[in-house]
Each structure stands twice: as C-alpha cells, then as structure tokens.
Amino acid sequence: MEPELYRQIESGEEDISVWILQKIARQYGVQLDSLLFGEEPKMTSYFLTRAGKGTSMERTRVYKYQSLAAGFLNRRVDPFLVTVEPKEEDVPFHYNSHPGQEFNMVVSGRMLIGIGGKELTLDEGDAIYFDSSQPHGMKALDNKSVEFLAVII
C-alpha cells in the first residue's frame, strides 16, 4: 500500500476498502473475517448463511456489506450481499481498484457501474464480471437502494 493512501486511511480522509483488508489479512496469514467482524471462521465442510442473517458491516454510510461465507475457513473467494444507498444525482463516483476479478449480480433495484471510463446500467437480474484492477464504482439509481451479490476473487 502506498504511504499516502495509508496516511489517508489512518486520518479518516479515505475509507478502507474490503480489498485492502483482504490484502492485509493475506499478508499476515489471518482470516478476513477477523478484521471485518472480529471473529475467526471455523467451518471447513460448509457454512450456511440464512436469508438476512449474514454478518454485516457498513464500509461507509452508503455501502453495507453482508458476508455470505464469514464462517468458512480458508475460502478462496469472498461473497457479499452489498447494499448501496442512493446519493444525490450530482455526486461523482467513488472509484476503487484492486488486483483480481469481481462478479456482481443485481438482486434488487438498479445501479450504474463505472468501469475503466465506461458507465453501464444494470437492472435486476443483470450480472457483470470484470477485471477489478480497472477503476470501478457503483451508484444506486432511481433514488432507491440497490442490492447486489458481489464475489471478490
């Protein structure tokens, strides 16, 4: 991580992304869940997440992440149910980028996703798989929340 980004995160000027936490977890050999939720995963055969019962965290006032596999030890991907609240129309995207790939599928609502300079509208049921090293950001449309499945690889 660049020193300037680290300074911005420490000072509260910049939000810490799930990817940065994932990178820290891998670097130090701890589970992402330990950093996100303060709990160590224990399951190795399967982990069941009942509807609405996943461990949640609010990354910012606009983004809420619900982990769908928080209790599974040594998982290779991180699936989340993400809720993005609507913002004022003139608020620009907050772009993020990280190594790897990402899969998003809209469960409810509509969203505008910006990836590498392009803007795409995703409706309920639409899915997108992309290179997450491209700057990307999401925005809820129609002044309503959007909920989507995000799998970070």
Side-chain angles (χ1 to χ4, degrees):
M1 178 181 345
E2 300 83 33
E4 179 59 18
L5 178 58
Y6 181 78
R7 187 198 65 72
Q8 290 173 335
I9 290 169
E10 285 291 317
S11 68
E13 296 171 36
E14 185 70 37
D15 289 320
I16 190 164
S17 69
V18 172
W19 174 79
I20 289 174
L21 290 174
Q22 187 181 54
K23 185 176 178 179
I24 292 168
R26 288 179 180 158
Q27 173 71 34
Y28 293 101
V30 298
Q31 296 294 305
L32 177 61
D33 307 314
S34 300
L35 300 177
L36 287 174
F37 313 117
E39 296 180 16
E40 285 286 328
K42 297 173 181 65
M43 302 304 290
T44 57
S45 296
Y46 68 91
F47 182 78
L48 174 65
T49 301
R50 297 282 182 195
K53 302 294 182 186
T55 307
S56 296
M57 69 162 283
E58 218 173 271
R59 196 186 94 200
T60 68
R61 288 174 299 191
V62 179
Y63 283 83
K64 177 185 172 191
Y65 284 78
Q66 181 183 29
S67 177
L68 301 177
F72 196 86
L73 185 63
N74 298 321
R75 58 183 182 275
R76 294 188 180 123
V77 299
D78 287 300
F80 295 95
L81 189 58
V82 181
T83 304
V84 179
E85 297 299 332
K87 296 189 248 183
E88 294 177 25
E89 298 248 347
D90 58 347
V91 174
F93 276 109
H94 173 76
Y95 284 96
N96 184 19
S97 63
H98 50 88
Q101 298 172 341
E102 193 166 323
F103 169 82
N104 296 161
M105 180 176 172
V106 177
V107 176
S108 65
R110 296 176 61 226
M111 78 174 175
L112 186 63
I113 182 167
I115 300 176
K118 288 193 174 237
E119 292 185 357
L120 305 161
T121 300
L122 276 69
D123 295 317
E124 195 169 301
D126 290 348
I128 188 165
Y129 191 99
F130 59 95
D131 172 356
S132 53
S133 69
Q134 296 286 317
H136 58 281
M138 292 80 172
K139 207 174 184 180
L141 293 176
D142 306 324
N143 205 27
K144 296 179 181 174
S145 299
V146 63
E147 191 174 60
F148 63 95
L149 171 67
V151 179
I152 300 170
I153 306 161

